[in-house]
Amino acid sequence: MRKKILNYSNYLAGGLFNILLVVVIVIVGYLVATWAFDQFTPQDVTQRPFYEISIEIPEEATALEAARILRENNLINNEWTFYLSSVLNGSSSHFLYGTFALNTHMSEPDLMEALQSMSFLKPDEGRIVIIEGLTNRQIAQLSATLGYFTAAEFLYEAENGFFNHEFLVGVGTRTNRLEGFLFPDTYNLPPNPSPRDLIVRMLDRFEGVFGMEQQIQLEQLSSQMGRNIALEELIIVASIVEAEAVLHEERPTVAAVIFNRLAAGMPLEMITTVVYATDTTASRLTAQHFASTSPYNTFNRVGLPVGPISNPSFSAIDAALNPANVDYLFMLKLEDGSHFFSNTQAAHDAAAAALAQ
């Protein structure tokens, strides 16, 4: 009797599984068929009444939630087919958040493109241009000048706010921990922005720029150097390259000098690290500045500074990932901003003497 009950239970379980399988197949088939119909059946959106509409995509919204917001505003017919299309074409992982200026004559591809473009964010939102090589303090001062928030508020959030970006896991607990990771770019801000609004956008941009290709290059660089190079170390090198090299074509060579001096156990002796350490300008440096005991001063200590000295551009990061194949150990800045590179102290000193004449 027990065997019959077990057999009957197995039969019921098998039947339920089959029913669920059929339901899943029907749902998936419906979605795929609807998606295919939408894809291959041209829809004349110009037949709709035209009007402009602003929609807000919250910061934490998923691609599916963004699609639901579009559907609720009558911009698309089916959120699931829109979502499926965005996943298949790779758009879903690049949707931005904020308030977008859209209109009812935009097709689904137009809408996907709009959600990935800052140009569709409402023009009355704040915009800030962060140029390459600014420090966190300079970004804070710029934000304050534009009237968004005070410099102190920005620096406090950068120092104490919680940010769950994976690449920050390996960053130490040093002061000014986000220095180097606030990616320079043009950013649109919501009305009455907070420091966090800007900081999260900059960290998101860094995350988008430093992708899988760069991760692979970092592993290759580690193999080439014969030791593990952490992301933070790479960004420190890139920040020095950004500050030292005016000419972009010299950046891989400057990166090579840094790595060569590190390998040789030599102090880096980069003037820009003293500028950062003493919060002054290169033209005002004195012997007292060079004697600073700051962990950022590379004249009286071996190794990299304790953290980045600027927020580097992609050009500087790429140079740090791909240093030139040269054995230079010295570089001398010339009057036009370029550098004279050399292998020996004697050659460097001779060039410096000639420049001083």
Side-chain angles (χ1 to χ4, degrees), residues 26 35 43 78 119 133 154 171 182 191 197 200 211 214 219 239 248 263 269 271 277 284 290 293 331 343 351:
V26 169
W35 171 80
Q43 296 180 339
N78 190 305
S119 62
F154 180 90
V171 176
L182 300 182
D197 289 323
V200 169
Q214 286 69 39
E219 293 175 5
S239 73
H248 282 214
E269 297 184 349
I271 290 178
R284 295 182 178 180
F290 283 97
T293 58
M331 62 185 203
N343 301 336

Side-chain angles (χ1 to χ4, degrees), residues 169-186:
V169 173
V171 176
T173 57
R174 59 178 167 82
T175 303
N176 214 7
R177 62 198 172 106
L178 297 186
E179 190 84 85
F181 296 96
L182 300 182
F183 194 79
D185 206 340
T186 299

